[in-house]
Amino acid sequence: MRRLLCLFSLLCWLLCVPAMAEETPSVRIIDRIADPAAEPDFSFDGDAPLLEMIFPQVLNADAMLLRCGGEAILVDCASAKQASRVTDMLSQLGVDHLDAIINTHPHYDHLQGLENVASAVAVDALWVSFPADYNQHMVTAMEVAQRLELPVVTYGDEDTYTLGCATLTAWCKGDESWNCNERSAIWKVSFGDATALLTADMMLKTQKRLLEAIPAQELQVDILKYPHHGLNKLNDDFYKAVSPGYAVITNNGTKSAPAKQYLRTKHVPFALTVPGFVSCVTDGSTWLIQRLTPGQIVDVNAYSDQPQEE
């Protein structure tokens, strides 16, 4: 009887192995920025729903388009000086309606482009996580929203939204005593087995807080929007938890040496948001990363906003 029980236990374990493997799938990343000829025969199934994450050629500022299932969201809208690059990208991609503009934190290089963008395309709402009177950038944005009759929605920690078949989860873990960057809202994007982490301008304090508040397995993602334009290295424990397969640095390279050096040390491939658009598209099991070239690319340094002390 004991031998039969042992054989039965062994059989059950063997049957469970495939199921366990299915629960921890490996998402493939095809990097055609580093190697334009990578997997030339690959293409997504024409009927497969896709999630697109597209970064325009804004320099040392943040803006990123998310599209899925016919819906579109813009995460941050750059500075006023860079906003035309955002609207140009939207026009070239045929986007004339945004379900929302999400602001991660009210600094000029993430929020000042609101009026330009919301005047160029239809926007259903502005999503914010900071008080309306937090700083002058926020006050100005509220005035713009009122003038353009743009509804303002306040989101908070652990709030979850859907974009087509994708899920967006907000993590607002900073203390009120922290500075604006340290209180940046972090967004995790999930679509099938594919994941991305949008880290705004979070600092070391924020990274340590996320490690304390979020289970490590939830922090692990395929693609990392590198924090604060690549101006700082990551906390090592945070990096280990996230273990990204790819990173995007919203910078033209002028001051991103700390990020580039750190990622190279960790052997993580990355792209800067120049020239053109950085496109990350997934069907939930494979990421295809490419650089989309607009019809005309001007000098990438011509409109550079150098990061201020914000």
Side-chain angles (χ1 to χ4, degrees):
M1 179 64 70
R2 183 176 298 175
R3 181 177 296 177
L4 287 175
L5 289 173
C6 291
L7 288 173
F8 179 75
S9 298
L10 177 62
L11 179 61
C12 289
W13 181 83
L14 290 172
L15 290 173
C16 287
V17 169
M20 290 169 62
E22 290 177 3
E23 289 176 2
T24 56
S26 176
V27 177
R28 179 170 51 154
I29 296 177
I30 302 174
D31 180 8
R32 287 188 182 160
I33 293 180
D35 179 9
E39 301 195 35
D41 296 331
F42 174 81
S43 62
F44 292 113
D45 187 326
D47 296 327
L50 300 175
L51 167 69
E52 298 174 274
M53 299 195 317
I54 304 177
F55 298 80
Q57 184 179 280
V58 292
L59 309 179
N60 309 327
D62 264 22
M64 189 200 67
L65 176 69
L66 285 170
R67 286 200 297 187
C68 187
E71 300 177 347
I73 283 177
L74 191 68
V75 181
D76 289 328
C77 47
S79 62
K81 198 172 185 180
Q82 295 286 310
S84 62
R85 290 174 178 260
V86 179
T87 56
D88 286 349
M89 179 196 71
L90 295 176
S91 176
Q92 291 177 51
L93 294 175
V95 177
D96 58 9
H97 170 259
L98 293 169
D99 293 272
I101 293 176
I102 297 176
N103 176 245
T104 59
H105 66 292
H107 273 165
Y108 85 104
D109 54 335
H110 294 250
L111 183 58
Q112 206 178 62
L114 174 64
E115 183 164 13
N116 303 64
V117 175
S119 297
V121 300
V123 180
D124 287 352
L126 169 66
W127 296 359
V128 300
S129 60
F130 281 70
D133 60 351
Y134 177 80
N135 61 13
Q136 187 56 51
H137 298 305
M138 195 70 180
V139 170
T140 300
M142 295 301 99
E143 292 172 350
V144 169
Q146 184 176 21
R147 186 164 64 251
L148 297 180
E149 298 182 344
L150 179 62
V152 177
V153 176
T154 300
Y155 66 89
D157 186 37
E158 304 288 349
D159 283 353
T160 300
Y161 302 89
T162 58
L163 179 73
C165 298
T167 300
L168 283 65
T169 302
W171 289 329
C172 307
K173 302 296 186 183
D175 293 343
E176 291 185 3
S177 61
W178 292 4
N179 69 35
C180 192
N181 282 340
E182 292 167 343
R183 291 177 61 185
S184 292
I186 313 305
W187 286 85
K188 182 177 179 180
V189 183
S190 303
F191 181 75
D193 295 321
T195 51
L197 194 63
L198 315 179
T199 59
D201 282 0
M202 75 172 181
M203 308 297 281
L204 291 177
K205 273 187 179 181
T206 326
Q207 295 170 42
K208 292 177 181 178
R209 177 62 58 81
L210 288 176
L211 286 170
E212 297 168 354
I214 306 295
Q217 64 270 23
E218 290 187 35
L219 286 174
Q220 185 173 3
V221 297
D222 312 314
I223 296 182
L224 172 70
K225 198 295 292 186
Y226 199 97
H228 203 205
H229 318 290
L231 300 180
N232 312 97
K233 60 175 272 187
L234 296 175
N235 172 280
D236 285 335
D237 290 334
F238 179 78
Y239 164 77
K240 290 175 185 177
V242 176
S243 298
Y246 199 87
V248 178
I249 306 172
T250 52
N251 197 310
N252 66 345
T254 55
K255 293 188 176 183
S256 58
K260 291 188 290 186
Q261 182 179 358
Y262 187 86
L263 292 171
R264 285 169 179 153
T265 299
K266 302 298 185 182
H267 305 291
V268 177
F270 62 87
L272 298 167
T273 48
V274 292
F277 314 144
V278 176
S279 169
C280 307
V281 182
T282 183
D283 60 358
S285 60
T286 298
W287 284 100
L288 179 61
I289 301 174
Q290 303 182 90
R291 197 176 291 281
L292 306 180
T293 305
Q296 181 180 11
I297 298 179
V298 299
D299 178 4
V300 297
N301 292 310
Y303 303 101
S304 178
D305 285 344
Q306 295 302 321
Q308 297 178 357
E309 292 302 318
E310 295 189 327

